[in-house]
Amino acid sequence: EKRIVPYEAIGEAKLNELVDAFYSKVANHPDLQPIFPSDFTEIARKQKQFLTQYLGGPPLYTEEHGHPMMRARHLPHEITPTRAKAWLRCMSEAMDEVKLEGPLREGFFSKLVLTAQHMVNTPDKPL
Ligand code: HEM
């Protein structure tokens, strides 16, 4: 029985395209832009490494940065439910843009929804 590795099905080129499309949206999103640096080079590089292993590819992130412990690494940043929603919206739009479709997209996106929810560490400010 062959197991499908999402990373192999998507491919390195498309994953890189996706991450670049994603951060151009993050850079322009009013809820997200304030908590990100203006230069996305390093975060995009790390995200490509992370998503590679997240999708079953080689453990590039861990090799360079150690255990991912993503929730802990996000604690210095105020991740609110609104920001998690905005992050997922940017990702969904980036997936549209690079034409990542079908079950591969659905599986990847559902996993990201759970991870994004897990990153939330701050309540939304009341109006
Ligand atoms: C780093 C925001 C969810 C993966 C960061 C940084 C911010 C951030 C502000 C630090 C940027 C910097 O100054 O270098 C958010 C927000 C999220 C979210 C608002 C909404 C839920 C996620 C999810 C993933 C992820 C779902 C993975 C699936 C990463 C990675 C890094 C990072 C790999 C780099 C960590 C490192 O420094 O080694 N994120 N993030 N983030 N985020 Fe997120």
Side-chain angles (χ1 to χ4, degrees), residues 59-70:
L60 304 180
Y61 183 90
T62 299
E63 279 168 10
E64 185 174 332
H65 313 286
H67 191 289
M69 44 177 208
M70 273 302 144

Side-chain angles (χ1 to χ4, degrees), residues 69-88:
M69 44 177 208
M70 273 302 144
R71 187 177 152 82
R73 290 191 203 262
H74 282 75
L75 286 178
H77 312 285
E78 288 190 356
I79 315 290
T80 61
T82 295
R83 285 188 174 134
K85 224 179 130 183
W87 192 105
L88 289 165

Side-chain angles (χ1 to χ4, degrees), residues 100-112:
L100 183 58
E101 290 156 344
L104 208 51
R105 176 197 179 131
E106 301 316 321
F108 186 6
F109 193 76
S110 319
K111 194 166 142 93
L112 288 172

Side-chain angles (χ1 to χ4, degrees), residues 32 35-37 43 46-47 50-51 54 61 70 73-74 77 79 83-84 87 112 115-116 119:
L32 297 174
I35 60 166
F36 280 90
I43 171 89
K46 287 174 169 176
Q47 188 65 275
F50 180 78
L51 291 178
Y54 188 77
Y61 183 90
M70 273 302 144
R73 290 191 203 262
H74 282 75
H77 312 285
I79 315 290
R83 285 188 174 134
W87 192 105
L112 288 172
T115 306
M119 296 305 157

Side-chain angles (χ1 to χ4, degrees), residues 2-69:
K2 263 206 194 148
R3 298 183 109 268
I4 292 171
V5 178
Y7 172 74
E8 287 168 11
I10 294 171
E12 183 183 354
K14 194 154 183 135
L15 186 61
N16 288 347
E17 248 189 274
L18 175 70
V19 170
D20 292 335
F22 170 68
Y23 284 116
S24 2
K25 293 175 193 306
V26 168
N28 290 295
H29 196 296
D31 295 327
L32 297 174
Q33 177 265 318
I35 60 166
F36 280 90
S38 51
D39 185 345
F40 283 85
T41 315
E42 184 60 10
I43 171 89
R45 192 181 73 84
K46 287 174 169 176
Q47 188 65 275
K48 286 167 188 172
Q49 294 175 320
F50 180 78
L51 291 178
T52 295
Q53 72 186 58
Y54 188 77
L55 293 169
L60 304 180
Y61 183 90
T62 299
E63 279 168 10
E64 185 174 332
H65 313 286
H67 191 289
M69 44 177 208

